[in-house]
Amino acid sequence: MPCIAYCHFEMSSYTIMIPQVSYASTAPELSDNSRYDFFSRVVPPDTYQAQAMVDLVKAMRWNYVSTVASEGNYGESGVDAFIQKSREDGGLCISQSVKIPREPRTGEFDKIIRRLSENPNARVVIIFANEDDIRRLLQAAKKANQTGHFIWVGSDSWGSKISPILNQEEMAEGAVTILPKRQSIRGFDRYFTSRTLENNRRNIWFAEFWENNFQCKLSRHALKKGSGVKKCTNHERIGRDSSYEQEGKVQFVIDAVYAMAHALHNMHRSLCPGNVGLCPKMETINGTLLLKYIRDVNFTGIAGTPVVFNVNGDAPGRYEIYQYQITNSTMEYKIIGHWTDHLHLDTNQMQWPGASQDVPSSICSQPCQAGQRKKTVKGIPCCWHCENCDGYQYQADTYSCKMCRFDLRPNPNHTGCDPIPIVKLEWSSPWAVFPVLIAVLGIMATMFVVLTFIRYNDTPIVKASGRELSYVLLTGIFLCYATTFLMISTPDVGICSLRRIFLGLGMSISYAALLTKTNRIYRIFEQGKMSVSAPRFISPASQLVLTFTLISVQLLGVCIWFGVDPSQAVIDYEDQRTSNPLMARGVLKCDISDLSLICLLGYSMLLMVTCTVYAIKTRGVPETFNEAKPIGFTMYTTCIVWLAFIPIFFGTSQSAEKLYIQTTTLTISVSLSASVSLGMLYMPKVYVVLLHPEQNIPKHKRSLKAVVTAATMSNKFNPKGGLRPNGEAKSELCESLETQALASKQTYISYSNHAI
């Protein structure tokens, strides 16, 4: 026949198919239909309770807890269910999992408290234990002076009971407990408090309850002298002469009885319609058929909640969440929420040890700051070390850092990447102001010389300087100064193309013209040593052709460069990629590498060196006959300028200020080269033309033979002339010529003054 069962411990497999309805058994394994297929219960299994406890822990943002279980089916199964649910939900780790033996030895609970205290970060303790174990555990915690440290989360075995926390309320303050949702049945209170020894004789255990409840003895013979135990008078009343609190499972006992009654009633109506009492079909109960009627019941229970069973015979999970609070010496279990498939918690009603409203912490590791990644401790996913995303890394997610893209840098807190600022040489920069000032003054001086030469184009000094090559040379000097503006302008395709063309072109024009001049002088006087016939290609037209031929080599090289590698502006993110990302800059520049720049200027350097060689070879020519010495001084000075440029330019290739230093050094070197040529070759002529016009008069022309003979004889009459400073070859002839020249302040005599 069917029965109402109270089962806290594992049940053996059924040998007889007898349906059971339990009012208190919560062990999770009883939901296994393969073993306990005839078992049903009106209380939810501990799997629901474990889920409610997991939801509660996560709602409090706790992720590192310990568990304590009484040895046996209830405690161990409850903790196992909690651990299983925490793994399924994730984000929750177990610090210690302790089991209380059935018969604990002396000091066992002190040992448990020490284990729980090994990790002070795990303050929350999940308890599936019986009342006595809970009481002794709290005593051990109090003895270890851990009041207020542990936050207890108790199962329904603790619930809202007073006995586990009696005389140790401070240790239990803040404890959160859980109970299946229930309601006190007032009718049962009236009935039970009216029970006496006379009207409840049918209950054979009631007399023993009476003695324990009133601390008295019914039999005079059981009294011992001096024991202090009184004799029961039978006038005692429950609730008046003793404390009384309704047992929490009364509601479920009633619901279990009604569930069986509803099932039998529905079975009777189906099998014995219209009959009063049992019909033949119900004389022998079919357990399987009765189980079907039990599982199909659906009615409102004594507390107003529906009574139903799922396919496993379990009741739905409905729990109330309590917290034990102490307020102004008032101690009570206060309802702070409920759980029905989902947690509903009123955190404003919660209070923690010391009447604090701040939720205590129970986490293994503090949250990492922005820009830090978690490095999980092996085997403990809730514990981690925080590592900074340093350098050009940013926090990609919780557990990893990634490098920013080459054109990005991490923001200040390394949570993302921002574009790297783009820099270029600004016109207002001190690195640009000085080169521009030199270039502007140089262009003004060059234009002044050009205008002066144009104005006095037919005067002897202008003619003697070689007008055609002078204008070509002045054009090159002008382009050298103008290059400064191209180097400082914002790079784009057009500017970069002009840089390629004019950076080397200005110098090539200047040094090609100077090389042509020095080569002409050298050939004239070398030819004069052997014969008096004029060398070939010394006419102005020939000199221009030779000059432009030399210049065309530079232009040809640039054209080939354009064909192989078209010009473009690029942003170089490596040039100023400093170790500190906040200082990183992208440099907007033309795609001209240091090697390409040397190749671009290499031809000009070759012309300059060749010109210097010729200047050295013509150093012995009398200064009254040519411009060799000014050209020589120009080339010597220019070589010094570029020798200083090379170490400065390449020595700063790793500097953070590379863009500014190299650009400034290059532009100033080019401008100084132009200034040296302009100052040494043309300023003296302009000085004479403008301030001493009396010297700018035509002289009688001598033949080439006379000029060359005078120069040759100068070296013969004074063989030590080559030992004089700067290689000057003075002779009495030259000195007499100089004397005559000085008598008229100075006379400029050049091969250009003579018929060739």
Side-chain angles (χ1 to χ4, degrees):
M1 59 184 294
C3 67
I4 309 299
Y6 173 85
C7 303
H8 253 309
F9 304 103
E10 183 176 344
M11 300 173 61
S12 60
S13 301
Y14 301 114
T15 57
I16 302 177
M17 295 184 293
I18 302 176
Q20 292 179 321
V21 180
S22 173
Y23 59 84
S25 298
T26 59
E29 54 266 37
L30 293 174
S31 299
D32 185 0
N33 265 337
S34 64
R35 297 177 61 192
Y36 308 107
D37 48 342
F38 282 84
F39 181 83
S40 303
R41 49 188 165 188
V42 293
V43 289
D46 285 339
T47 49
Y48 291 135
Q49 183 175 200
Q51 183 65 62
M53 296 173 84
V54 168
D55 292 346
L56 171 66
V57 168
K58 297 183 73 173
M60 293 291 97
R61 300 184 183 277
W62 297 324
N63 68 0
Y64 202 43
V65 302
S66 298
T67 63
V68 175
S70 291
E71 185 178 3
N73 183 270
Y74 171 75
E76 294 179 49
S77 297
V79 165
D80 289 344
F82 176 84
I83 294 175
Q84 179 64 30
K85 291 294 182 181
S86 66
R87 288 174 179 170
E88 292 175 0
D89 287 9
L92 187 59
C93 298
I94 308 301
S95 172
Q96 299 283 351
S97 189
V98 184
K99 183 168 63 175
I100 303 173
R102 293 184 188 274
E103 298 179 0
R105 294 173 296 181
T106 303
E108 186 70 35
F109 288 93
D110 296 334
K111 181 180 177 182
I112 291 174
I113 292 298
R114 284 195 297 271
R115 283 193 60 185
L116 296 177
S117 302
E118 287 178 1
N119 193 332
N121 289 338
R123 296 179 59 187
V124 172
V125 180
I126 309 298
I127 300 180
F128 279 85
N130 58 55
E131 294 181 33
D132 186 59
D133 286 346
I134 295 171
R135 179 180 56 80
R136 297 175 68 180
L137 186 66
L138 295 179
Q139 286 177 348
K142 185 176 182 180
K143 180 181 177 182
N145 197 26
Q146 294 291 339
T147 303
H149 174 72
F150 292 112
I151 304 299
W152 312 101
V153 178
S155 64
D156 59 344
S157 63
W158 184 337
S160 59
K161 297 174 183 176
I162 299 298
S163 58
I165 62 173
L166 191 62
N167 299 324
Q168 46 194 11
E169 289 80 2
E170 293 80 6
M171 282 305 306
E173 184 180 8
V176 179
T177 59
I178 190 168
L179 265 181
K181 192 171 184 179
R182 62 195 178 114
Q183 184 174 330
S184 181
I185 309 301
R186 293 183 179 180
F188 179 82
D189 288 341
R190 290 193 300 269
Y191 167 81
F192 191 74
T193 54
S194 67
R195 296 299 88 194
T196 65
L197 292 172
E198 284 77 16
N199 59 21
N200 198 24
R201 293 181 181 276
R202 66 185 183 89
N203 190 330
I204 59 175
W205 293 286
F206 191 71
E208 183 178 352
F209 164 77
W210 194 272
E211 289 181 334
N212 291 330
N213 188 51
F214 295 109
Q215 296 296 309
C216 62
K217 290 295 181 178
L218 293 173
S219 173
R220 182 179 299 273
H221 301 288
L223 294 176
K224 294 182 180 180
K225 292 183 179 181
S227 63
V229 179
K230 61 182 179 180
K231 184 178 183 301
C232 300
T233 63
N234 201 22
H235 295 295
E236 297 91 355
R237 291 295 178 265
I238 298 173
R240 186 192 70 185
D241 300 316
S242 67
S243 60
Y244 166 74
E245 181 183 4
Q246 186 180 121
E247 163 61 42
K249 295 182 174 61
V250 169
Q251 168 193 333
F252 302 111
V253 173
I254 297 173
D255 287 342
V257 172
Y258 272 101
M260 186 63 73
H262 277 281
L264 290 171
H265 178 69
N266 294 336
M267 185 178 183
H268 182 268
R269 286 197 306 177
S270 176
L271 298 180
C272 307
N275 292 341
V276 177
L278 294 178
C279 64
K281 291 183 179 181
M282 289 189 65
E283 287 182 356
T284 302
I285 298 294
N286 185 325
T288 303
L289 184 61
L290 177 57
L291 177 65
K292 176 182 178 299
Y293 283 101
I294 291 175
R295 296 286 175 87
D296 289 340
V297 299
N298 188 342
F299 64 95
T300 301
I302 190 68
T305 56
V307 177
V308 294
F309 301 100
N310 63 14
V311 293
N312 296 322
D314 297 328
R318 289 187 290 265
Y319 296 95
E320 288 184 322
I321 313 297
Y322 293 82
Q323 187 181 40
Y324 188 71
Q325 299 180 357
I326 301 176
T327 306
N328 297 326
S329 300
T330 301
M331 306 172 190
E332 63 174 340
Y333 285 99
K334 187 173 184 178
I335 296 178
I336 57 172
H338 64 275
W339 189 93
T340 307
D341 294 331
H342 299 286
L343 179 67
H344 302 275
L345 198 64
D346 186 0
T347 55
N348 294 325
Q349 297 292 324
M350 302 184 77
Q351 181 177 294
W352 305 101
S356 173
Q357 296 296 321
D358 297 330
V359 179
S361 172
S362 185
I363 58 177
C364 181
S365 302
Q366 293 296 327
C368 292
Q369 298 179 358
Q372 294 182 329
R373 74 178 186 93
K374 293 180 180 179
K375 186 177 181 181
T376 306
V377 176
K378 186 176 181 180
I380 311 177
C382 301
C383 300
W384 57 80
H385 303 295
C386 295
E387 292 185 350
N388 291 325
C389 296
D390 53 8
Y392 286 82
Q393 295 179 331
Y394 71 98
Q395 184 183 0
D397 53 44
T398 304
Y399 298 98
S400 63
C401 299
K402 291 184 178 180
M403 292 292 292
C404 290
R405 206 173 60 203
F406 72 95
D407 59 338
L408 302 176
R409 66 179 183 183
N411 54 27
N413 58 9
H414 287 259
T415 56
C417 295
D418 296 332
I420 295 178
I422 308 302
V423 297
K424 60 182 181 62
L425 186 57
E426 301 289 346
W427 293 98
S428 58
S429 169
W431 295 97
V433 171
F434 187 60
V436 168
L437 179 61
I438 295 176
V440 170
L441 294 176
I443 289 174
M444 293 173 63
T446 304
M447 297 305 299
F448 179 73
V449 172
V450 170
L451 293 176
T452 301
F453 269 46
I454 293 174
R455 172 68 179 80
Y456 299 97
N457 190 57
D458 295 324
T459 59
I461 289 181
V462 176
K463 288 182 178 179
S465 65
R467 289 174 296 183
E468 296 80 5
L469 287 181
S470 290
Y471 288 127
V472 173
L473 178 56
L474 288 169
T475 300
I477 292 173
F478 175 83
L479 290 178
C480 287
Y481 287 124
T483 300
T484 297
F485 299 96
L486 293 176
M487 296 301 295
I488 298 177
S489 298
T490 301
D492 55 30
V493 175
I495 293 295
C496 293
S497 300
L498 292 177
R499 284 187 188 181
R500 284 192 183 185
I501 296 171
F502 289 106
L503 182 59
L505 183 61
M507 295 178 63
S508 296
I509 293 174
S510 299
Y511 297 135
L514 287 175
L515 177 59
T516 303
K517 275 194 174 190
T518 55
N519 175 265
R520 182 187 186 194
I521 296 170
Y522 174 76
R523 289 190 295 114
I524 288 174
F525 285 94
E526 284 296 310
Q527 181 74 16
K529 294 178 182 179
M530 296 177 290
S531 70
V532 295
S533 61
R536 301 174 62 188
F537 307 119
I538 62 172
S539 65
S542 300
Q543 298 296 293
L544 288 176
V545 170
L546 180 59
T547 300
F548 285 118
T549 300
L550 294 174
I551 295 171
S552 65
V553 175
Q554 173 76 21
L555 292 175
L556 179 62
V558 172
C559 291
I560 294 174
W561 189 8
F562 274 122
V564 174
D565 182 19
S567 181
Q568 60 180 340
V570 297
I571 300 176
D572 186 353
Y573 290 99
E574 295 297 328
D575 198 24
Q576 293 193 24
R577 192 176 180 86
T578 59
S579 57
N580 181 2
L582 296 179
M583 303 301 295
R585 299 291 184 271
V587 179
L588 178 61
K589 64 180 185 179
C590 295
D591 60 337
I592 302 177
S593 64
D594 293 348
L595 180 61
S596 300
L597 181 63
I598 293 302
C599 294
L600 180 63
L601 298 177
Y603 181 66
S604 300
M605 299 292 183
L606 177 63
L607 294 177
M608 180 183 70
V609 172
T610 307
C611 187
T612 302
V613 171
Y614 275 111
I616 294 173
K617 288 185 175 184
T618 59
R619 70 188 184 280
V621 177
E623 61 184 16
T624 52
F625 288 91
N626 63 88
E627 296 176 303
K629 286 184 174 53
I631 292 176
F633 287 130
T634 298
M635 300 317 300
Y636 305 151
T637 307
T638 302
C639 287
I640 292 173
V641 169
W642 286 102
L643 286 175
F645 160 78
I646 291 174
I648 295 176
F649 187 87
F650 290 100
T652 58
S653 60
Q654 302 300 322
S655 172
E657 304 291 335
K658 172 184 175 182
L659 168 69
Y660 310 111
I661 296 175
Q662 291 190 342
T663 303
T664 301
T665 303
L666 178 60
T667 53
I668 289 179
S669 297
V670 173
S671 295
L672 286 179
S673 300
S675 299
V676 169
S677 300
L678 185 66
M680 290 191 175
L681 297 179
Y682 292 102
M683 285 307 172
K685 296 179 175 60
V686 173
Y687 174 78
V688 173
V689 169
L690 296 180
L691 300 180
H692 297 282
E694 70 276 6
Q695 298 180 21
N696 192 15
I697 58 175
K699 302 296 180 181
H700 64 280
K701 292 184 179 181
R702 293 187 292 170
S703 65
L704 175 63
K705 178 180 179 180
V707 174
V708 174
T709 299
T712 305
M713 293 301 293
S714 172
N715 286 333
K716 288 181 179 181
F717 290 161
N718 193 358
K720 295 182 180 181
L723 301 176
R724 294 184 180 182
N726 211 22
E728 296 180 6
K730 297 285 186 180
S731 66
E732 282 84 359
L733 176 60
C734 292
E735 290 173 357
S736 65
L737 290 173
E738 285 183 351
T739 303
Q740 294 175 4
L742 292 172
S744 60
K745 294 191 178 177
Q746 190 173 2
T747 302
Y748 280 76
I749 302 174
S750 171
Y751 56 84
S752 299
N753 293 102
H754 306 282
I756 298 177

